[in-house]
Structure formats: structure tokens, C-alpha cells
């Protein structure tokens, strides 16, 4: 389970289009063709997943669903490359990667599964926090660039606040992972584990 975040990154890299592709806008005809390709890929994925069973089928379907959602988000970003569409793409990737990782956790049982789920959620939280930070930073800088030094100072404050919020979200998710791992123990050992987790994450 320690490798769950690396796995999420690998899933995102293998499932989705490159950022460079999003930077290119499309004509109406290309947009229509891209949507048709996404629909064709969805159909092909459905047939491929239908040949599987049990959790392997669930994982396949989660991967297919993730590919479709991210492909659509990236397509919209290519048509209208704004901070909001790029944010939507990052969120789609985070949710798609989480969906696949969450299904993979079903291959486990007991505390190992619980930890796996918490780690998958932690990775999703981190990705979403980073996406929100990027959106806030871009918006603040854009507004400040059009206004005065006072606006720039205000923008900087917003960026600092956004960074703090992102950091807090990540640490909260990581703390939940640490707590879940303590459930593998019992008695004094578990108590010590939980106390150590509180100290590490600055909890009272």
C-alpha cells in the first residue's frame, strides 16, 4: 500500500492524453471527430471488459470510465483552454485514478484493504488540492496583473491561503491513513501508534 500514490501517478500517465495535446485548439470538424473517437473507444472498452469477470472486470470498467471522462475533459480544454477547463481536467484525472485504485483495493481484505482505500483517497485529496491551488493561483495572478500593487498583494495573500488549505487537506488525508494503519495493532501498541500519529501530524 505504500506504493499507492506512485500507482495513481502511473495510472494517470498511462490512461490519459498528454498536457501538450491540450494546448492545441481544435476546429469544429476535429472536435466532432474527437468526440466520435471517444465514443468508439468507450464501445471498444465495453467489449473488452465484458470478457472479464469478478474484480478484474470492475477494474477494467473503472479504467474505461476514467479514460472517457478525462478524454472529454481534455477535449473541452482543447476547445476552450481556460484555467477552469484545465482545472476540470485535473479533477477528472484525480477522480479517474481514484476510481481505479479503489477497485484494486477490492483485491485485498481486512485492514490491508482499509489502508489501501485510505491511501487511494489520500492521493485523490492531494491531487484535488493541487488542482484547486493551481486554479486559485492563476485566477489571483490574472486579476492582479490587470490592477494595482495593492491587488498584487491581495493576490499573494490568496495564494498563500490556498497553499495552506491544500497542505491542510493533504495532511488530514495522510493522518487518516496513519490512523488506519494503527488498526493492525491492539492494546498498548495500538495506543502508542495512535499517539505517535497525533504527534507526527500535530493533533491534540
Amino acid at each position: 500500500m505504500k506504493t499507492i500514490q506512485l500507482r495513481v501517478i502511473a495510472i494517470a500517465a498511462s490512461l490519459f492524453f498528454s498536457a501538450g495535446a491540450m494546448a492545441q485548439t481544435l476546429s469544429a470538424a476535429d472536435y466532432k471527430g474527437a468526440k466520435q473517437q471517444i465514443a468508439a473507444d468507450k464501445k471498444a472498452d465495453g467489449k473488452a471488459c465484458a470478457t472479464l469477470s469478478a474484480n478484474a472486470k470492475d477494474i477494467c470498467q473503472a479504467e474505461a470510465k476514467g479514460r472517457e471522462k478525462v478524454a472529454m475533459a481534455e477535449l473541452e480544454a482543447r476547445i476552450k483552454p481556460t484555467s477552469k477547463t484545465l482545472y476540470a481536467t485535473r479533477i477528472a484525472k484525480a477522480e479517474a485514478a481514484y476510481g481505479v485504485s479503489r477497485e484494486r483495493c477490492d483485491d485485498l481484505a481486512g485492514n490491508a484493504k482499509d489502508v489501501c482505500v485510505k491511501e487511494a483517497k489520500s492521493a485523490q485529496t492531494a491531487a484535488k488540492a493541487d488542482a484547486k491551488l493551481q486554479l486559485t493561483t492563476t485566477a489571483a495572478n490574472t486579476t492582479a496583473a490587470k490592477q494595482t500593487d495593492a491587488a498584487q498583494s491581495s493576490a499573494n495573500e490568496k495564494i498563500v491561503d490556498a497553499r495552506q488549505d491544500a497542505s491542510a487537506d493533504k495532511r488530514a488525508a495522510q493522518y487518516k491513513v496513519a490512523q488506519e494503519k494503527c488498526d493492525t495493532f491492539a492494546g498498548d501498541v495500538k495506543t502508542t501508534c495512535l499517539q505517535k500519529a497525533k504527534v507526527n501530524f500535530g493533533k491534540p
Side-chain angles (χ1 to χ4, degrees), residues 40 50 59 104 133 137 157 169 197:
I59 292 172
R104 291 186 185 280
L133 172 59
T137 299
E157 290 179 0
D169 288 344

Side-chain angles (χ1 to χ4, degrees), residues 121-144:
K121 188 64 177 178
S122 177
Q124 181 197 39
T125 298
K128 285 188 172 183
D130 286 338
K132 184 177 180 180
L133 172 59
Q134 183 61 47
L135 178 66
T136 301
T137 299
T138 300
N141 285 336
T142 299
T143 299

Side-chain angles (χ1 to χ4, degrees), residues 64-116:
K65 183 178 180 181
R67 275 193 292 268
E68 180 191 9
K69 286 192 173 182
V70 173
M72 285 302 302
E74 289 190 332
L75 181 57
E76 293 304 317
R78 291 174 69 184
I79 285 292
K80 189 178 180 181
T82 66
S83 59
K84 289 184 177 180
T85 56
L86 293 176
Y87 170 75
T89 299
R90 294 186 181 100
I91 293 300
K93 288 182 177 182
E95 292 178 345
Y98 171 74
V100 175
S101 295
R102 179 63 183 80
E103 289 297 341
R104 291 186 185 280
C105 291
D106 285 345
D107 285 330
L108 305 174
N111 183 252
K113 179 178 179 179
D114 293 339
V115 172
C116 179

